[in-house]
Amino acid sequence: MTDTRYLVHGVFWDGPGPGPSAASRGRPPAMRLQDPDGAVTALTLDAGTRLGFRLAAAGKHCLGRHLVHGPADRDHVLCPDRAAAAKGSQCERCFVLDDSRLIHDFHRGGRVPPGLRAYLMQPHWLYVATFANGASKVGTASHPRKWNRLAEQGAVVARYIARAEDGRVVRLLEDMITRDAGLPQQVRAAAKAAALVAPAAAVDLDAVNGRLAGEARSVLAGAGGEGFAVVDERWVRPELSAKACAPAARHAYPHDLGAGAHGFRIDSLSGSIALAALDGSGLEFVVNLGQLKARVIELGDHGSDVPAVQESLF
C-alpha cells in the first residue's frame, strides 16, 4: 500500500519499431504515472498483472505539453500550474503551447516550428484499422511508430495501404480516403470498449478490413500524383491482445473509474482496454483503462466489488 499520488498519463505500447515481428519482440505495454515531483514511471500491464488503485482526487488534471525537436526527439513539459484539465487532458495554456496540435493543419498550409517540421517530413504510413464490432477507420502513423500506433489504437485487424514520403502527403491521402471511400478518421474509445464485450469472429473482421483496404487502395491508385506508393501489408497484432479480441463470455465493467477503489487481474489488453478478472468471481470484464488518463490515483491492494451478473446461456 502507498499513499503516493500519481497522475495517469495513459497506456502506451513501446514496441521495438516498425518491423514485421514487432508483436513478438516488443516490450509489454505500460501505464505511465507521474509522481508529485514530476518523475514519470512505467507500470507494466502484462498478462497476470494485478492492478489495484483508488481515485485520490476529483476530476481530471493537465498532463502538460510536448516540444518536438525532430523525428525521434521531443520533450515532455510538465504543467507549471498543475492545473485542472480544460480540453481533454490539458489546461488551456498547455493546449495552446503544445506542438502536437499543429500537426492537423500542416497539410493545409499551417505554420509549424522547425522541430515539428522535421518530424513531419519523415516517412509516414496510411492504414485501415478495424475494431471488434467491425467499425473501421483510416489513419496515419510516422515510420518509427508504424506498429505502436495501431497497438495503442486497439485495432483488431489492420492493413497498411500506402507509404508516403512525409506527413503532409499522408494527411492529404487520409482526407482523400475519407472523402472518396467514406472511411472516418476516428472511432470513439467508448465504442471500442463496448465492442470488446461481444467481439465479432476474426474471419469476419478480417474480411471487412480486407474489403475496405482494397477499396481505399483503388482510390489511391486512381488518384495518381507523387510522393507516395500504394502498399498491401498486414499489421501484426500484439499477442497480448489475442484473448481480448476473441469471442467469449464477458461483461462490461460496471463501476465508474472516475471514483472509488478498484482492483483486478489483467488477462489481456487491446489498446487501453483490459480484459480483467475480478477477485472472487469466475467472470471476466472489459475495463477501459483509458478512462484513467489525466486522473490522480493511489496504488494499493484494492479490489472491485463483484456485481450480480448472469452468464449468457448458449
Side-chain angles (χ1 to χ4, degrees):
M1 189 77 67
T2 174
D3 58 359
T4 301
R5 293 188 169 197
Y6 292 101
L7 178 59
V8 180
H9 282 248
V11 176
F12 296 83
W13 292 74
D14 291 328
S21 59
S24 59
R25 293 189 290 112
R27 296 187 298 274
M31 180 181 291
R32 290 183 189 165
L33 304 172
Q34 176 190 324
D35 69 23
D37 294 327
V40 177
T41 58
L43 177 65
T44 299
L45 300 178
D46 212 343
T49 298
R50 192 181 190 286
L51 181 62
F53 59 92
R54 76 171 189 87
L55 273 293
K60 294 188 176 184
H61 300 262
C62 181
L63 297 181
R65 60 190 176 93
H66 288 93
L67 289 175
V68 182
H69 305 295
D73 183 15
R74 65 174 61 199
D75 288 330
H76 176 226
V77 181
L78 301 180
C79 178
D81 302 325
R82 299 179 181 267
K87 291 182 175 291
S89 57
Q90 292 176 301
C91 67
E92 194 79 41
R93 180 178 182 275
C94 288
F95 173 78
V96 170
L97 295 176
D98 196 326
D99 282 353
S100 300
R101 74 181 181 87
L102 302 174
I103 289 175
H104 307 291
D105 289 325
F106 176 63
H107 63 297
R108 302 186 184 99
R111 292 180 175 271
V112 296
L116 184 58
R117 176 176 290 277
Y119 167 83
L120 289 166
M121 295 310 290
Q122 68 181 317
H124 279 67
W125 295 83
L126 189 70
Y127 62 79
V128 173
T130 298
F131 301 91
N133 61 352
S136 302
K137 57 162 283 188
V138 61
T140 72
S142 64
H143 182 68
R145 288 185 50 78
K146 176 185 178 184
W147 178 84
N148 315 62
R149 174 71 172 159
L150 281 158
E152 290 172 357
Q153 291 267 317
V156 176
V157 187
R159 287 174 170 85
Y160 304 101
I161 58 174
R163 185 182 190 275
E165 65 183 17
D166 59 49
R168 183 189 67 85
V169 170
V170 82
R171 283 168 179 79
L172 291 171
L173 299 178
E174 183 182 32
D175 287 349
M176 181 193 304
I177 296 303
T178 296
R179 182 184 67 243
D180 297 344
L183 273 173
Q185 297 178 15
Q186 185 176 10
V187 173
R188 293 184 305 109
K192 296 176 188 178
L196 285 172
V197 175
V203 63
D204 296 332
L205 295 176
D206 185 61
V208 169
N209 186 260
R211 175 178 59 81
L212 294 175
E215 293 172 357
R217 278 192 294 270
S218 295
V219 170
L220 296 174
E226 300 179 347
F228 72 97
V230 178
V231 301
D232 185 356
E233 181 183 333
R234 189 185 182 96
W235 172 68
V236 180
R237 190 179 67 201
E239 295 174 2
L240 182 58
S241 301
K243 188 175 182 181
C245 298
R250 73 272 302 253
H251 307 270
Y253 187 66
H255 306 303
D256 176 14
L257 285 183
H262 309 263
F264 37 77
R265 184 192 72 230
I266 294 174
D267 291 337
S268 182
L269 194 70
S270 175
S272 298
I273 304 167
L275 183 62
L278 271 57
D279 300 337
S281 80
L283 308 177
E284 289 187 307
F285 294 82
V286 174
V287 185
N288 183 5
L289 298 178
Q291 294 177 347
L292 291 176
K293 185 176 180 179
R295 297 189 183 276
V296 178
I297 65 172
E298 290 178 0
L299 300 176
D301 188 20
H302 300 288
S304 300
D305 292 335
V306 179
V309 296
Q310 182 176 358
E311 290 283 23
S312 298
L313 300 177
F314 296 93

PDB file of all heavy atoms in Angstrom, residues 19-41:
ATOM      1  N   GLY A  19       9.257  -3.015 -37.594  1.00  0.00           N
ATOM      2  CA  GLY A  19       9.488  -4.321 -38.208  1.00  0.00           C
ATOM      3  C   GLY A  19       8.298  -5.245 -38.127  1.00  0.00           C
ATOM      4  O   GLY A  19       7.443  -5.126 -37.253  1.00  0.00           O
ATOM      5  N   PRO A  20       8.202  -6.243 -39.034  1.00  0.00           N
ATOM      6  CA  PRO A  20       7.038  -7.131 -39.099  1.00  0.00           C
ATOM      7  C   PRO A  20       6.882  -8.044 -37.900  1.00  0.00           C
ATOM      8  O   PRO A  20       5.796  -8.527 -37.635  1.00  0.00           O
ATOM      9  CB  PRO A  20       7.299  -7.944 -40.384  1.00  0.00           C
ATOM     10  CG  PRO A  20       8.782  -7.883 -40.583  1.00  0.00           C
ATOM     11  CD  PRO A  20       9.196  -6.533 -40.081  1.00  0.00           C
ATOM     12  N   SER A  21       7.958  -8.305 -37.148  1.00  0.00           N
ATOM     13  CA  SER A  21       7.834  -9.194 -35.995  1.00  0.00           C
ATOM     14  C   SER A  21       7.741  -8.420 -34.690  1.00  0.00           C
ATOM     15  O   SER A  21       8.035  -8.935 -33.624  1.00  0.00           O
ATOM     16  CB  SER A  21       9.038 -10.151 -35.935  1.00  0.00           C
ATOM     17  OG  SER A  21      10.251  -9.426 -35.846  1.00  0.00           O
ATOM     18  N   ALA A  22       7.311  -7.160 -34.797  1.00  0.00           N
ATOM     19  CA  ALA A  22       7.274  -6.292 -33.616  1.00  0.00           C
ATOM     20  C   ALA A  22       6.404  -6.860 -32.504  1.00  0.00           C
ATOM     21  O   ALA A  22       6.714  -6.702 -31.325  1.00  0.00           O
ATOM     22  CB  ALA A  22       6.772  -4.898 -34.002  1.00  0.00           C
ATOM     23  N   ALA A  23       5.318  -7.532 -32.863  1.00  0.00           N
ATOM     24  CA  ALA A  23       4.392  -8.014 -31.844  1.00  0.00           C
ATOM     25  C   ALA A  23       5.045  -9.028 -30.916  1.00  0.00           C
ATOM     26  O   ALA A  23       4.744  -9.095 -29.732  1.00  0.00           O
ATOM     27  CB  ALA A  23       3.158  -8.631 -32.499  1.00  0.00           C
ATOM     28  N   SER A  24       5.957  -9.817 -31.440  1.00  0.00           N
ATOM     29  CA  SER A  24       6.578 -10.836 -30.607  1.00  0.00           C
ATOM     30  C   SER A  24       7.855 -10.347 -29.943  1.00  0.00           C
ATOM     31  O   SER A  24       8.313 -10.936 -28.974  1.00  0.00           O
ATOM     32  CB  SER A  24       6.892 -12.084 -31.462  1.00  0.00           C
ATOM     33  OG  SER A  24       7.771 -11.748 -32.529  1.00  0.00           O
ATOM     34  N   ARG A  25       8.454  -9.245 -30.437  1.00  0.00           N
ATOM     35  CA  ARG A  25       9.721  -8.780 -29.891  1.00  0.00           C
ATOM     36  C   ARG A  25       9.554  -7.607 -28.934  1.00  0.00           C
ATOM     37  O   ARG A  25      10.493  -7.241 -28.236  1.00  0.00           O
ATOM     38  CB  ARG A  25      10.651  -8.344 -31.036  1.00  0.00           C
ATOM     39  CG  ARG A  25      11.111  -9.486 -31.930  1.00  0.00           C
ATOM     40  CD  ARG A  25      12.182  -9.023 -32.893  1.00  0.00           C
ATOM     41  NE  ARG A  25      11.646  -8.125 -33.895  1.00  0.00           N
ATOM     42  CZ  ARG A  25      11.940  -6.840 -33.976  1.00  0.00           C
ATOM     43  NH1 ARG A  25      12.720  -6.272 -33.075  1.00  0.00           N
ATOM     44  NH2 ARG A  25      11.436  -6.081 -34.938  1.00  0.00           N
ATOM     45  N   GLY A  26       8.402  -6.973 -28.910  1.00  0.00           N
ATOM     46  CA  GLY A  26       8.256  -5.727 -28.178  1.00  0.00           C
ATOM     47  C   GLY A  26       8.108  -5.911 -26.677  1.00  0.00           C
ATOM     48  O   GLY A  26       7.789  -6.981 -26.186  1.00  0.00           O
ATOM     49  N   ARG A  27       8.372  -4.829 -25.955  1.00  0.00           N
ATOM     50  CA  ARG A  27       8.125  -4.817 -24.514  1.00  0.00           C
ATOM     51  C   ARG A  27       6.625  -4.793 -24.258  1.00  0.00           C
ATOM     52  O   ARG A  27       5.847  -4.312 -25.079  1.00  0.00           O
ATOM     53  CB  ARG A  27       8.794  -3.588 -23.903  1.00  0.00           C
ATOM     54  CG  ARG A  27      10.312  -3.585 -24.025  1.00  0.00           C
ATOM     55  CD  ARG A  27      10.915  -2.424 -23.239  1.00  0.00           C
ATOM     56  NE  ARG A  27      10.482  -1.141 -23.737  1.00  0.00           N
ATOM     57  CZ  ARG A  27      11.079  -0.486 -24.733  1.00  0.00           C
ATOM     58  NH1 ARG A  27      12.122  -1.026 -25.332  1.00  0.00           N
ATOM     59  NH2 ARG A  27      10.646   0.694 -25.119  1.00  0.00           N
ATOM     60  N   PRO A  28       6.194  -5.301 -23.102  1.00  0.00           N
ATOM     61  CA  PRO A  28       4.757  -5.249 -22.782  1.00  0.00           C
ATOM     62  C   PRO A  28       4.313  -3.801 -22.608  1.00  0.00           C
ATOM     63  O   PRO A  28       5.129  -2.918 -22.316  1.00  0.00           O
ATOM     64  CB  PRO A  28       4.661  -6.037 -21.481  1.00  0.00           C
ATOM     65  CG  PRO A  28       6.027  -5.988 -20.890  1.00  0.00           C
ATOM     66  CD  PRO A  28       6.973  -5.973 -22.056  1.00  0.00           C
ATOM     67  N   PRO A  29       3.029  -3.542 -22.764  1.00  0.00           N
ATOM     68  CA  PRO A  29       2.525  -2.177 -22.582  1.00  0.00           C
ATOM     69  C   PRO A  29       2.658  -1.746 -21.129  1.00  0.00           C
ATOM     70  O   PRO A  29       2.847  -2.572 -20.228  1.00  0.00           O
ATOM     71  CB  PRO A  29       1.062  -2.285 -23.003  1.00  0.00           C
ATOM     72  CG  PRO A  29       0.717  -3.716 -22.761  1.00  0.00           C
ATOM     73  CD  PRO A  29       1.954  -4.498 -23.070  1.00  0.00           C
ATOM     74  N   ALA A  30       2.548  -0.441 -20.899  1.00  0.00           N
ATOM     75  CA  ALA A  30       2.696   0.084 -19.547  1.00  0.00           C
ATOM     76  C   ALA A  30       1.813   1.308 -19.374  1.00  0.00           C
ATOM     77  O   ALA A  30       1.530   2.037 -20.324  1.00  0.00           O
ATOM     78  CB  ALA A  30       4.156   0.441 -19.263  1.00  0.00           C
ATOM     79  N   MET A  31       1.380   1.511 -18.134  1.00  0.00           N
ATOM     80  CA  MET A  31       0.678   2.738 -17.770  1.00  0.00           C
ATOM     81  C   MET A  31       1.721   3.716 -17.224  1.00  0.00           C
ATOM     82  O   MET A  31       2.461   3.390 -16.295  1.00  0.00           O
ATOM     83  CB  MET A  31      -0.389   2.449 -16.709  1.00  0.00           C
ATOM     84  CG  MET A  31      -1.175   3.685 -16.284  1.00  0.00           C
ATOM     85  SD  MET A  31      -2.421   3.291 -15.004  1.00  0.00           S
ATOM     86  CE  MET A  31      -3.583   2.313 -15.977  1.00  0.00           C
ATOM     87  N   ARG A  32       1.780   4.903 -17.803  1.00  0.00           N
ATOM     88  CA  ARG A  32       2.735   5.904 -17.351  1.00  0.00           C
ATOM     89  C   ARG A  32       2.123   6.738 -16.224  1.00  0.00           C
ATOM     90  O   ARG A  32       1.009   7.248 -16.364  1.00  0.00           O
ATOM     91  CB  ARG A  32       3.170   6.797 -18.508  1.00  0.00           C
ATOM     92  CG  ARG A  32       4.039   6.065 -19.527  1.00  0.00           C
ATOM     93  CD  ARG A  32       4.520   6.964 -20.623  1.00  0.00           C
ATOM     94  NE  ARG A  32       5.167   6.200 -21.691  1.00  0.00           N
ATOM     95  CZ  ARG A  32       5.437   6.667 -22.901  1.00  0.00           C
ATOM     96  NH1 ARG A  32       5.133   7.927 -23.192  1.00  0.00           N
ATOM     97  NH2 ARG A  32       6.015   5.905 -23.818  1.00  0.00           N
ATOM     98  N   LEU A  33       2.900   6.841 -15.129  1.00  0.00           N
ATOM     99  CA  LEU A  33       2.432   7.504 -13.922  1.00  0.00           C
ATOM    100  C   LEU A  33       3.412   8.604 -13.528  1.00  0.00           C
ATOM    101  O   LEU A  33       4.617   8.359 -13.444  1.00  0.00           O
ATOM    102  CB  LEU A  33       2.308   6.497 -12.780  1.00  0.00           C
ATOM    103  CG  LEU A  33       1.418   5.277 -13.027  1.00  0.00           C
ATOM    104  CD1 LEU A  33       1.553   4.291 -11.869  1.00  0.00           C
ATOM    105  CD2 LEU A  33      -0.030   5.697 -13.213  1.00  0.00           C
ATOM    106  N   GLN A  34       2.904   9.799 -13.276  1.00  0.00           N
ATOM    107  CA  GLN A  34       3.730  10.934 -12.863  1.00  0.00           C
ATOM    108  C   GLN A  34       3.577  11.161 -11.362  1.00  0.00           C
ATOM    109  O   GLN A  34       2.459  11.357 -10.863  1.00  0.00           O
ATOM    110  CB  GLN A  34       3.309  12.187 -13.629  1.00  0.00           C
ATOM    111  CG  GLN A  34       4.022  13.460 -13.218  1.00  0.00           C
ATOM    112  CD  GLN A  34       3.395  14.690 -13.849  1.00  0.00           C
ATOM    113  OE1 GLN A  34       2.933  14.650 -14.983  1.00  0.00           O
ATOM    114  NE2 GLN A  34       3.338  15.781 -13.099  1.00  0.00           N
ATOM    115  N   ASP A  35       4.701  11.136 -10.630  1.00  0.00           N
ATOM    116  CA  ASP A  35       4.623  11.340  -9.186  1.00  0.00           C
ATOM    117  C   ASP A  35       4.612  12.835  -8.855  1.00  0.00           C
ATOM    118  O   ASP A  35       4.776  13.673  -9.754  1.00  0.00           O
ATOM    119  CB  ASP A  35       5.746  10.595  -8.467  1.00  0.00           C
ATOM    120  CG  ASP A  35       7.131  11.173  -8.718  1.00  0.00           C
ATOM    121  OD1 ASP A  35       7.245  12.368  -9.079  1.00  0.00           O
ATOM    122  OD2 ASP A  35       8.111  10.428  -8.544  1.00  0.00           O
ATOM    123  N   PRO A  36       4.410  13.208  -7.596  1.00  0.00           N
ATOM    124  CA  PRO A  36       4.306  14.628  -7.239  1.00  0.00           C
ATOM    125  C   PRO A  36       5.544  15.453  -7.570  1.00  0.00           C
ATOM    126  O   PRO A  36       5.464  16.685  -7.710  1.00  0.00           O
ATOM    127  CB  PRO A  36       4.054  14.588  -5.726  1.00  0.00           C
ATOM    128  CG  PRO A  36       3.392  13.277  -5.497  1.00  0.00           C
ATOM    129  CD  PRO A  36       4.054  12.340  -6.450  1.00  0.00           C
ATOM    130  N   ASP A  37       6.729  14.797  -7.710  1.00  0.00           N
ATOM    131  CA  ASP A  37       7.953  15.517  -8.053  1.00  0.00           C
ATOM    132  C   ASP A  37       8.133  15.674  -9.560  1.00  0.00           C
ATOM    133  O   ASP A  37       9.106  16.269 -10.018  1.00  0.00           O
ATOM    134  CB  ASP A  37       9.170  14.793  -7.466  1.00  0.00           C
ATOM    135  CG  ASP A  37       9.172  14.814  -5.948  1.00  0.00           C
ATOM    136  OD1 ASP A  37       8.699  15.812  -5.364  1.00  0.00           O
ATOM    137  OD2 ASP A  37       9.630  13.820  -5.343  1.00  0.00           O
ATOM    138  N   GLY A  38       7.217  15.103 -10.331  1.00  0.00           N
ATOM    139  CA  GLY A  38       7.293  15.220 -11.790  1.00  0.00           C
ATOM    140  C   GLY A  38       7.937  14.053 -12.491  1.00  0.00           C
ATOM    141  O   GLY A  38       7.940  14.003 -13.724  1.00  0.00           O
ATOM    142  N   ALA A  39       8.498  13.105 -11.755  1.00  0.00           N
ATOM    143  CA  ALA A  39       9.113  11.933 -12.384  1.00  0.00           C
ATOM    144  C   ALA A  39       8.028  11.009 -12.932  1.00  0.00           C
ATOM    145  O   ALA A  39       6.988  10.800 -12.297  1.00  0.00           O
ATOM    146  CB  ALA A  39       9.970  11.180 -11.369  1.00  0.00           C
ATOM    147  N   VAL A  40       8.280  10.471 -14.117  1.00  0.00           N
ATOM    148  CA  VAL A  40       7.315   9.583 -14.764  1.00  0.00           C
ATOM    149  C   VAL A  40       7.858   8.156 -14.753  1.00  0.00           C
ATOM    150  O   VAL A  40       8.984   7.908 -15.191  1.00  0.00           O
ATOM    151  CB  VAL A  40       7.016  10.032 -16.209  1.00  0.00           C
ATOM    152  CG1 VAL A  40       6.063   9.051 -16.895  1.00  0.00           C
ATOM    153  CG2 VAL A  40       6.417  11.435 -16.218  1.00  0.00           C
ATOM    154  N   THR A  41       7.083   7.234 -14.231  1.00  0.00           N
ATOM    155  CA  THR A  41       7.466   5.830 -14.200  1.00  0.00           C
ATOM    156  C   THR A  41       6.464   5.015 -15.008  1.00  0.00           C
ATOM    157  O   THR A  41       5.360   5.484 -15.322  1.00  0.00           O
ATOM    158  CB  THR A  41       7.500   5.298 -12.754  1.00  0.00           C
ATOM    159  OG1 THR A  41       6.202   5.471 -12.165  1.00  0.00           O
ATOM    160  CG2 THR A  41       8.529   6.046 -11.929  1.00  0.00           C
TER     161      THR A  41
END
